[in-house]
Amino acid sequence: MNKDRDLEFLKMTIKMAEENVLSGHGGPFAAIIVKDGEIIATGVNSVTSELDPTAHAEIKAIRNACKTLDSYQLTDCDIYSSCEPCPMCLGAIYWSRPKRIVFAANKRDAAQAGFDDSFIYEQLKLPINQRKIETIEIMLDDKTLPFQKWNNYNSKIDY
Amino acid sequence: MNKDRDLEFLKMTIKMAEENVLSGHGGPFAAIIVKDGEIIATGVNSVTSELDPTAHAEIKAIRNACKTLDSYQLTDCDIYSSCEPCPMCLGAIYWSRPKRIVFAANKRDAAQAGFDDSFIYEQLKLPINQRKIETIEIMLDDKTLPFQKWNNYNSKIDY
């Protein structure tokens, strides 16, 4: 992918993010997914309009791209985002395994605009007993039974 | 929430996770969301059956709970998960702001069963130029324009 095309796609996400705010649809974020030089999916933040806290731009774009490709993997795809992905979206990106991530604003810019991205990055680094949301690990004897079932299941589809 | 109820709900997630494997629906994970002592939503991993890499148990349960509550926030809710949430799901949990998270298996158990949870936790801690998925920050002059629009937008709904 050449630098000009990167800039072109990234500027499109900025424009889409601005329009998403002005339409009242959701937060100031947008993402585009590109494969073989073609846009295969887009996504904009729609947390408040869809009442879905997971409806971030990248998550929406990943879901849309997977529908387009009829796959749960984004092999050889590039993800362009108007802003550095938050931990939720970065996790989703790793699970979908694209080739590259390109972004414009970073998590410090997002924090300055009032978004929790940096806070959540910091929380993930902490031991669970130091996190702001109370987090409890309960040791159950059968806690790994689902994994045992999984490993013994002959028809399983790895993901 | 008392300890017996915690155990009861957590054991339910283990059972659901096992059934999810044996039904061929998806990976060995399940989650339950409880408010005021009542189950308001459940979720099981359906990545491969729905062709959606974001369809983890907690994400599904959060989306279902938000539909039930007609809200993008899970105020005063407890999330029970058969396994420690991966970074994507933990991010989603932070954005939905429940009261507590209770889990059984941990990320090391998940890694032993072949899942990328621990790997993704490690990747998130790295500077972006050291990550396995190529990640590029491009400095655009107008990168914070969406945030400026957001801050000036009088009808915005914070989330």
Side-chain angles (χ1 to χ4, degrees):
Chain A
M1 185 66 66
N2 67 50
K3 187 80 189 292
D4 286 348
R5 291 287 273 170
D6 278 348
L7 276 174
E8 182 188 337
F9 290 127
L10 207 52
K11 282 179 178 174
M12 282 179 63
T13 67
I14 301 280
K15 197 79 189 161
M16 285 169 60
E18 290 181 67
E19 286 165 3
N20 198 51
V21 172
L22 299 178
S23 69
H25 185 79
F29 304 95
I32 288 173
I33 299 183
V34 171
K35 185 170 185 175
D36 300 330
E38 300 292 329
I39 294 173
I40 61 163
T42 65
V44 290
N45 182 291
S46 44
V47 169
T48 53
S49 56
E50 293 187 17
L51 300 179
D52 179 357
T54 75
H56 282 202
E58 298 93 327
I59 298 268
K60 299 278 293 180
I62 289 169
R63 287 190 183 134
N64 289 336
C66 285
K67 274 184 201 144
T68 302
L69 298 178
D70 205 28
S71 170
Y72 51 87
Q73 296 285 268
L74 297 178
T75 311
D76 293 330
C77 291
D78 292 325
I79 300 186
Y80 295 86
S81 182
S82 61
C83 184
E84 183 173 1
C86 79
M88 173 178 72
C89 292
L90 193 57
I93 289 167
Y94 268 85
W95 288 115
S96 66
R97 303 185 181 90
K99 190 172 63 186
R100 293 197 313 155
I101 309 164
V102 183
F103 66 85
N106 60 41
K107 60 187 173 187
R108 292 173 298 283
D109 299 318
Q112 279 177 11
F115 295 96
D116 279 350
D117 303 48
S118 285
F119 166 70
I120 299 175
Y121 271 105
E122 291 309 311
Q123 287 285 305
L124 262 72
K125 292 177 191 165
L126 296 174
I128 61 172
N129 61 358
Q130 292 176 29
R131 293 191 188 149
K132 194 174 174 191
I133 297 179
E134 186 182 357
T135 306
I136 300 162
E137 180 178 5
I138 296 182
M139 302 290 180
L140 289 184
D141 287 342
D142 54 359
K143 69 173 181 171
T144 59
L145 268 186
F147 298 143
Q148 292 172 38
K149 289 274 195 304
W150 176 254
N151 286 327
N152 293 330
Y153 183 61
N154 290 327
S155 308
K156 71 170 171 287
I157 303 170
D158 286 316
Y159 60 89
Chain B
M1 185 65 68
N2 66 50
K3 188 81 189 293
D4 286 347
R5 290 287 272 171
D6 278 349
L7 275 174
E8 183 189 337
F9 289 127
L10 208 52
K11 283 181 178 173
M12 282 179 63
T13 66
I14 302 279
K15 197 79 190 161
M16 285 169 60
E18 290 181 68
E19 285 165 2
N20 198 51
V21 172
L22 299 180
S23 70
H25 186 80
F29 303 96
I32 288 173
I33 299 183
V34 171
K35 186 170 185 175
D36 300 330
E38 301 291 330
I39 294 173
I40 61 164
T42 65
V44 290
N45 182 292
S46 44
V47 169
T48 52
S49 55
E50 293 187 15
L51 299 179
D52 178 356
T54 74
H56 283 203
E58 297 93 327
I59 299 269
K60 299 280 292 181
I62 288 169
R63 296 175 85 195
N64 290 336
C66 285
K67 274 185 202 144
T68 302
L69 298 177
D70 205 28
S71 169
Y72 51 86
Q73 296 284 269
L74 296 179
T75 311
D76 293 329
C77 291
D78 292 325
I79 299 186
Y80 294 87
S81 182
S82 60
C83 184
E84 183 173 2
C86 78
M88 173 178 74
C89 293
L90 192 58
I93 289 168
Y94 268 84
W95 287 115
S96 66
R97 303 184 181 91
K99 191 173 62 185
R100 293 198 313 156
I101 309 163
V102 183
F103 67 84
N106 60 40
K107 59 187 174 187
R108 291 173 298 282
D109 298 319
Q112 279 177 10
F115 295 96
D116 278 350
D117 303 48
S118 287
F119 166 71
I120 299 175
Y121 270 104
E122 291 309 311
Q123 287 285 304
L124 262 71
K125 292 178 190 164
L126 296 175
I128 61 171
N129 62 358
Q130 293 176 27
R131 292 189 189 151
K132 192 171 175 193
I133 296 179
E134 187 183 355
T135 306
I136 301 162
E137 179 178 6
I138 295 181
M139 301 291 179
L140 288 184
D141 287 342
D142 52 0
K143 69 174 181 171
T144 61
L145 269 186
F147 297 143
Q148 292 172 40
K149 290 273 194 304
W150 177 255
N151 287 326
N152 294 329
Y153 183 61
N154 290 326
S155 308
K156 71 170 171 284
I157 303 169
D158 286 316
Y159 59 89

